[in-house]
Amino acid sequence: MTTPMKTKVGIIGGGPSGLLLSQLLHLKGIDNVLLEKHSRDYVLGRIRAGVLEHGFAELMREAQCGERMDREGEIHDGFYIAHDGIRDRVDLKKYTGGNSVVVYGQTEVTRDLYEARDKMGGTVIHEAQDVTPHDLKSDAPYLTYRLGDEPHRVDCDFIIGADGFHGVSRKSIPKDVLTEYEKVYPFGWLGVLSRTKPVSPELIYAKHERGFALCSLRSQVLSRYYLQVPLTDRVEDWSDEDFWAELKKRLPEDVAGDLITGPSIEKSIAPLRSFVAEPMRYGNLFLAGDAAHIVPPTGARGLNSAASDIYYLYHALLDHYQDGDDTGLEQYSQKALARVWKAQRFSWWMTSLLHTFPDSISYDKRLQQTDLEYLFSSDAAQTSLAENYVGLPF
Ligand code: APR
Ligand code: PHB
């Protein structure tokens, strides 16, 4: 074992949650070490969603990582819901008093955060194997890990579990302390990235009896499309031709007619899941982001749900180190979960509204139709959708 490293905050996971917290703390002089299981190329090879809410964009700017996002990201003031052969627009700006979202890939967010950590000389350790948190209930928790055959140790004041859904942090909380809430949906999303002009400058969420479809984008030359597919489908089952043909069937005729197709540069299937683990604190371990909660992608809440965790944790740690005030740390789990559950509710609602459920009875279908009719006949309903989509206040 090499000499133990000593730091204030040990962060497990180099996804957007861990990186953002690491950067924010470093800017305030709070020493931290980040351990990531994979190589940087691997992390940056993952294609994830691409809609950022206002509050997340603000945090990126506060972390001094917002420059490229502000230059290359697109401000979207609305999006469409297509149904019954037509398109209705949700005017985010109008219904939120001027708010909007930024369309900028999560992969790019992660890239910008890594670059900022490098520039500041942050300690980010890649390919850290067997990361294990210890003595979580004590005032001196520590992390062990391996680099190749070499064992290492980091002594810390606090450990942050930002290691995603499959990480080690949540699993190190005793089972009798943790309550897990989970809902698995009977379908997945097949996603295709293509170097083609997007069919629409704004996103189109399409409800169709053949299944849901989404037209999204990364830029005006890079499109991202999704199809609802059965969980039994495999990526290999879907040729590019099949994908485009099915997408056209699920879009209104005028939109389908405008669709420019091309070879896929990425194609993958992701199952849809809602999940929350409570509490988000165990001793001096604090969970953040996907380590504690997952949403189906329909409401674009994944990264944005993580953002509020990071905001609360960052301020709680600042209060601790700058003022000796632990109120924020004590209230973290409760405060974070209150917003997390609202994002869960919204994501579940958007998913229920727009997907075709294999086991739904005719009554369910009429209710779903009525929900949609009500939405576009009521300013109150559109206000509710818009305020949730742009992100509830932290
Ligand atoms: N040790 C160290 N690192 C780990 C471990 C481990 N045992 N297990 C997982 N990791 C790393 C993963 O390799 C990944 O890079 O933790 C990171 C977690 O990152 P994300 O899964 O991106 O989670 P998070 O940072 O919370 O970001 C939330 O990402 O998954 C999307 O929908 C989600 O948009 C949301 C956002
Ligand atoms: C995406 O662009 O990948 C995306 C956009 C909106 C969503 C989900 C995914 O709701």
Side-chain angles (χ1 to χ4, degrees), residues 53 96 299 301 342-343 345-346 383-392:
E53 68 183 32
T96 60
R301 294 292 82 208
K342 289 183 189 125
R345 185 205 69 81
F346 177 66
T383 303
S384 168
L385 167 52
E387 76 168 355
N388 278 279
Y389 194 87
V390 302
L392 296 172

Side-chain angles (χ1 to χ4, degrees), residues 12-19 35-38 42-43 46 48-49 106 110 114 128-131 162-169 288-291 293-295 301-304 306:
I12 313 176
S17 302
L19 288 165
L35 303 178
E36 164 58 49
K37 182 179 183 172
H38 292 289
Y42 178 93
V43 175
R46 296 189 293 224
R48 296 268 174 85
Q106 192 177 309
T110 312
Y114 271 125
Q129 301 303 304
D130 299 336
V131 174
D163 48 353
F165 183 66
H166 299 287
V168 65
S169 307
D290 275 21
H293 43 80
I294 299 279
V295 283
R301 294 292 82 208
L303 182 57
N304 300 298

Side-chain angles (χ1 to χ4, degrees), residues 184-191 210-214 225-235 238 243 250 268-273 296-298 351 355-358:
V184 178
Y185 299 85
F187 38 73
W189 277 18
L190 167 66
R210 297 182 67 87
F212 169 78
L214 171 61
Y225 296 105
Y226 296 95
L227 290 176
Q228 173 188 346
V229 294
L231 283 172
T232 43
D233 279 19
R234 293 166 313 151
V235 177
W238 284 89
F243 181 90
R250 297 185 189 186
S268 52
I269 294 184
L272 267 68
R273 182 200 305 269
T298 326
T351 305
H355 287 76
T356 298
F357 286 75

Side-chain angles (χ1 to χ4, degrees), residues 91-109:
D91 192 331
L92 295 173
K93 201 169 181 176
K94 172 176 162 193
Y95 286 111
T96 60
N99 219 334
S100 53
V101 293
V102 181
V103 170
Y104 186 65
Q106 192 177 309
T107 310
E108 302 313 309
V109 165

Side-chain angles (χ1 to χ4, degrees), residues 47-51 103 189 203 205 214 216-218 224 226 297-301 350 389:
I47 308 285
R48 296 268 174 85
V51 177
V103 170
W189 277 18
L203 273 66
Y205 291 81
L214 171 61
S216 182
L217 59 145
R218 292 291 173 273
R224 181 73 168 157
Y226 296 95
T298 326
R301 294 292 82 208
M350 278 276 277
Y389 194 87

